[in-house]
Amino acid sequence: MSARWHDNPGAFGGIEDHCDPGTARFAVLPIAYDGTSTWLKGADRGPEAILEASANMELYDIETDSEPWLSGIVTAAALTGFATPEDMVAAVKGTAEELIDAGKTVIGLGGEHSVSIGLIQAHARRYPGLNVLQFDAHADSRDQYLGSSNNHACVMARVAEICPFVQVGIRSMDAAEKANINQDRVFFGHEFTADDAQVQAIVDQLNDPVYLTIDLDVLDPSEMPSTGTPEPGGMRYLQMIKVIRAVCAARKVVGFDVVELLPRPENKAPDFLAARLVYQIMAYLG
């Protein structure tokens, strides 16, 4: 599936015509998929909600004294309409590879977390030695779940087949998953403080290049209620971006995704949080 540039209202940041797609640094790839979610449905509406909210952001970032949009942000048409999880993974991988080959820093917008499988496969193929940093409430380390190895509960099992990874914020998993994770590379939610030593320990576990996958349920439901599987005891937004800022400063981050937003019409704040997070990471990438 070839990437097409977004030709309708809804481009990230509300930006339609400010740059040449050929020279833009960032490519936002919406992936409207919710085929394997197992509780609350609606994550396929997440990309559209993030794009809508992003049009209401200020495009100047105070913390970094920068305007990431000046580097060029283009938004690809949403990927949607998949027959199976395997079809989705293949389509996402192919489109992401095309964007990477075009020189873009790819930002995936989910959709449920299974969309990250194809994104990470594409980056691992194009960036030898890739490491993945996962922010998530859930370990997502089942080999198969409900008949699919590409279920949202299997993301990190698929990642383990291709590259090393570090997990941050984990506070929910099945007992059987304990055998599938490296507990020396897991920063569990109940132990997470985001103090300087812990942040440095996360950085030290990672080698270049790095891909970030961010399941929004890593955040506490008081800040991020709009997910399909909210878990109590999550980290705060400022704790998470402290880690991301440190990783972006010390390591070469080559791509990232933000997934599992389940938008709710009565509360737009989580949509805006997700959009602002995407733009903040763009700012950290310089």
Side-chain angles (χ1 to χ4, degrees), residues 88-267:
M88 179 275 298
V89 169
V92 171
K93 178 177 181 287
T95 305
E97 286 179 343
E98 178 185 343
L99 295 172
I100 296 167
D101 288 348
K104 310 304 179 196
T105 299
V106 178
I107 299 110
L109 301 183
E112 59 162 75
H113 205 171
S114 61
V115 307
S116 303
I117 297 172
L119 289 164
I120 294 168
Q121 288 175 346
H123 283 82
R125 181 176 179 184
R126 295 301 193 250
Y127 294 101
L130 188 75
N131 281 215
V132 172
L133 175 57
Q134 173 201 13
F135 291 89
D136 207 323
H138 306 90
D140 288 352
S141 295
R142 289 174 166 90
D143 187 58
Q144 290 193 349
Y145 193 61
L146 298 180
S148 175
S149 60
N150 290 310
N151 188 283
H152 72 108
C154 306
V155 176
M156 302 315 292
R158 301 288 75 76
V159 174
E161 295 169 346
I162 55 176
C163 66
F165 60 90
V166 174
Q167 299 176 289
V168 177
I170 307 301
R171 54 193 189 276
S172 178
M173 66 180 184
D174 186 79
E177 293 181 82
K178 291 175 65 177
N180 297 334
I181 64 172
N182 181 349
Q183 296 200 33
D184 292 335
R185 296 172 67 86
V186 180
F187 295 79
F188 289 105
H190 69 282
E191 300 171 337
F192 191 78
T193 62
D195 63 35
D196 290 348
Q198 194 174 59
V199 171
Q200 187 60 50
I202 294 169
V203 172
D204 290 345
Q205 289 276 13
L206 295 164
N207 294 315
D208 285 332
V210 174
Y211 181 93
L212 309 176
T213 180
I214 303 169
D215 184 330
L216 290 167
D217 66 26
V218 73
L219 296 169
D220 193 80
S222 62
E223 287 193 78
M224 177 47 68
S226 298
T227 70
T229 48
E231 290 280 351
M235 69 174 63
R236 298 293 182 171
Y237 179 82
L238 290 177
Q239 291 179 316
M240 180 172 63
I241 64 169
K242 180 179 179 180
V243 177
I244 294 171
R245 180 172 60 245
V247 171
C248 289
R251 300 289 181 261
K252 181 180 181 181
V253 174
V254 294
F256 66 94
D257 62 63
V258 174
V259 301
E260 293 285 357
L261 176 70
L262 196 165
R264 303 178 188 280
E266 71 277 6
N267 184 5

Side-chain angles (χ1 to χ4, degrees), residues 24-83:
R25 176 180 181 184
F26 298 105
V28 175
L29 178 59
I31 308 160
Y33 182 72
D34 194 24
T36 76
S37 294
T38 48
W39 187 25
L40 302 176
K41 290 287 190 179
D44 55 324
R45 296 183 281 107
E48 182 179 2
I50 294 172
L51 294 175
E52 178 187 350
S54 73
N56 296 283
M57 296 185 309
E58 297 288 0
L59 296 177
Y60 169 70
D61 180 64
I62 295 173
E63 182 183 349
T64 60
D65 187 26
S66 69
E67 296 178 85
W69 71 276
L70 295 175
S71 297
I73 304 170
V74 291
T75 306
L79 300 182
T80 189
F82 311 105

